[in-house]
Amino acid sequence: MDNLPFEGNGTPEDPYGADATTGLAASAGLRALDAFARRVHNGPDVDETPSEAEMLEKVRDLHEMRYVPPGAPHREAHWDEMARRCMREVTAEVRHAVTEVTNVSGQVPTVLGDEGTLDERLAEFRACVRGGRPVVSVSATGSFSRWLAARDTMAISLSTFTYIPERPVYAAQVTPEAALLSDCAGSWRMTLADGWLAMSGVPLVADEHPGYVVLPRPLEDRAPQLRKHYTSPMFPYDTSSAIAQAVLGGAVPAAVHVTEHVLDSAIIPVAIGHGMIVMFQDSGEILEKPWAASKYLFKALKGETEFGEGLVVARRLLDARRVIRVVRNVTSQDPDQFDPLMPFDDIDEDDGFRFDGPDA
């Protein structure tokens, strides 16, 4: 059992709250990712007892065993199946972890993960909220094949949301390196080596490196123009994972994140809980308090507000405004007319990077 830094011990006499339930789900997800990657890269450990999810997977493999013809398309299909298998194991481990303990609702949580589309899982999440039933959602983003084939830890992440009746919604972001959790009271980080540690709510690295920025992969073709402002732009396969590792846990000052499905967006409250601000690109609205993020996400999860606007995660308001201005300037260039040897008008470093809305 994980040594969770939250109240309760998961027994009927001292049940877990939403925070501990989320922490349990996040740590189970991290361990499942680690176990799956080690098995792919190193083969099975003969001395290790297979988990319930692994044993179930072996039975499934025997049931579905079939001849796979040689050739690149079939090898790619194999890696697609690996991704599906990994999510089945993650979901099974999370389900086992959170249903084997007691939470404050006294009900067994519904665990959403590997089955159905995102919209179908969101509909079930909302049905649980309306029915006053606890629910845990685990959703994966990024490229599993990139993570497994190239060992790129910024290629995937897991978004975890937990709802327990009469409690705020809790969120955790899991990468192959660490699990991050935050709420209105604090923030925590878990690694397999160190376990759970309480964070101070400020970035781990005090002084950021101004040459770095995390950007969505569709902007990679504008890298030459972007390097006039940021010497080392990053275009990861999963911006949520890169934000968790390079911004929250590193020295990158800002990240542009194309907001995905609401079930994929645990990085929003987690980033704020770890000392960041979140600015929405189009409206300029700022989320800088954990309770504001929790309220916003809960409304989106319930369907009371629209969700999907792109956002920027940054250490300072100045960093957020700067990257918005830079990206807007670069993407407004006509690629057929743009001369890479002639830089466009740079941002006036003395104007405070004023942001007056979408038409500024």
Side-chain angles (χ1 to χ4, degrees):
M1 184 65 66
D2 292 295
N3 185 20
L4 297 168
F6 309 105
E7 294 183 359
N9 59 18
T11 63
E13 296 75 24
D14 194 9
Y16 281 148
D19 48 4
T21 303
T22 308
L24 200 60
S27 58
L30 177 61
R31 295 184 195 283
L33 289 179
D34 179 71
F36 192 88
R38 282 190 289 105
R39 225 166 40 246
V40 169
H41 298 146
N42 306 328
D45 187 342
V46 296
D47 296 324
E48 183 178 351
T49 302
S51 68
E52 182 179 329
E54 292 166 354
M55 295 174 66
L56 179 62
E57 199 59 47
K58 288 181 182 294
V59 174
R60 192 191 300 263
D61 286 344
L62 289 172
H63 179 69
E64 298 177 354
M65 187 177 291
R66 60 189 182 277
Y67 172 68
V68 179
H74 300 289
R75 290 199 297 269
E76 290 186 5
H78 164 75
W79 285 101
D80 291 340
E81 175 55 30
M82 292 282 276
R84 290 188 287 270
R85 180 180 301 177
C86 184
M87 268 311 293
R88 288 199 296 265
E89 291 193 15
V90 166
T91 305
E93 291 296 336
V94 170
R95 181 175 290 115
H96 178 75
V98 303
T99 59
E100 288 297 306
V101 298
T102 304
N103 64 72
V104 293
S105 74
Q107 305 176 71
V108 176
T110 297
V111 177
L112 310 174
D114 62 312
E115 295 183 356
T117 66
L118 280 166
D119 287 340
E120 289 170 345
R121 299 201 302 270
L122 180 58
E124 190 167 355
F125 192 103
R126 289 173 176 171
C128 288
V129 173
R130 289 193 301 270
R133 304 189 304 273
V135 57
V136 176
S137 170
V138 184
S139 182
T141 55
S143 170
F144 274 81
S145 60
R146 172 80 178 188
W147 167 53
L148 292 170
R151 301 195 181 196
D152 180 358
T153 61
M154 290 190 185
I156 64 157
S157 64
L158 305 174
S159 284
T160 300
F161 285 107
T162 299
Y163 169 74
I164 289 182
E166 301 181 4
R167 299 292 193 281
V169 65
Y170 274 71
Q173 192 76 35
V174 180
T175 75
E177 298 290 314
L180 305 174
L181 189 154
S182 68
D183 63 10
C184 298
S187 56
W188 299 265
R189 173 184 296 262
M190 182 223 175
T191 65
L192 296 179
D194 300 324
W196 284 99
L197 298 173
M199 310 305 293
S200 62
V202 299
L204 293 179
V205 181
D207 297 322
E208 69 271 15
H209 192 305
Y212 284 84
V213 66
V214 172
L215 298 169
R217 284 186 62 78
L219 291 178
E220 192 169 14
D221 62 343
R222 300 300 180 96
Q225 300 98 296
L226 289 161
R227 288 194 182 98
K228 300 177 188 300
H229 302 275
Y230 297 98
T231 57
S232 303
M234 303 167 60
F235 306 96
Y237 276 72
D238 181 50
T239 53
S240 291
S241 186
I243 290 168
Q245 295 182 70
V247 182
L248 276 61
V252 176
V256 175
H257 178 61
V258 178
T259 309
E260 300 173 279
H261 195 280
V262 63
L263 290 181
D264 292 340
S265 301
I267 193 63
I268 296 176
V270 169
I272 294 173
H274 283 74
M276 305 294 152
I277 63 165
V278 169
M279 173 181 281
F280 293 94
Q281 287 181 262
D282 292 340
S283 66
E285 179 186 357
I286 297 173
L287 292 174
E288 55 182 335
K289 300 297 183 183
W291 51 87
S294 178
K295 181 178 179 181
Y296 172 74
L297 262 298
F298 192 41
K299 285 186 174 182
L301 287 165
K302 291 193 297 181
E304 295 179 358
T305 186
E306 293 293 328
F307 190 82
E309 186 180 5
L311 56 87
V312 170
V313 176
R315 292 173 174 235
R316 300 177 302 164
L317 184 58
L318 196 68
D319 296 322
R321 287 176 170 168
R322 179 172 188 246
V323 71
I324 288 176
R325 292 282 296 274
V326 168
V327 169
R328 182 176 298 153
N329 202 343
V330 167
T331 55
S332 67
Q333 298 289 333
D334 183 345
D336 295 329
Q337 301 296 322
F338 184 78
D339 182 355
L341 300 179
M342 296 293 292
F344 54 82
D345 292 338
D346 204 344
I347 292 176
D348 183 357
E349 299 288 343
D350 295 326
D351 73 353
F353 306 113
R354 290 186 296 273
F355 182 79
D356 300 318
D359 298 323

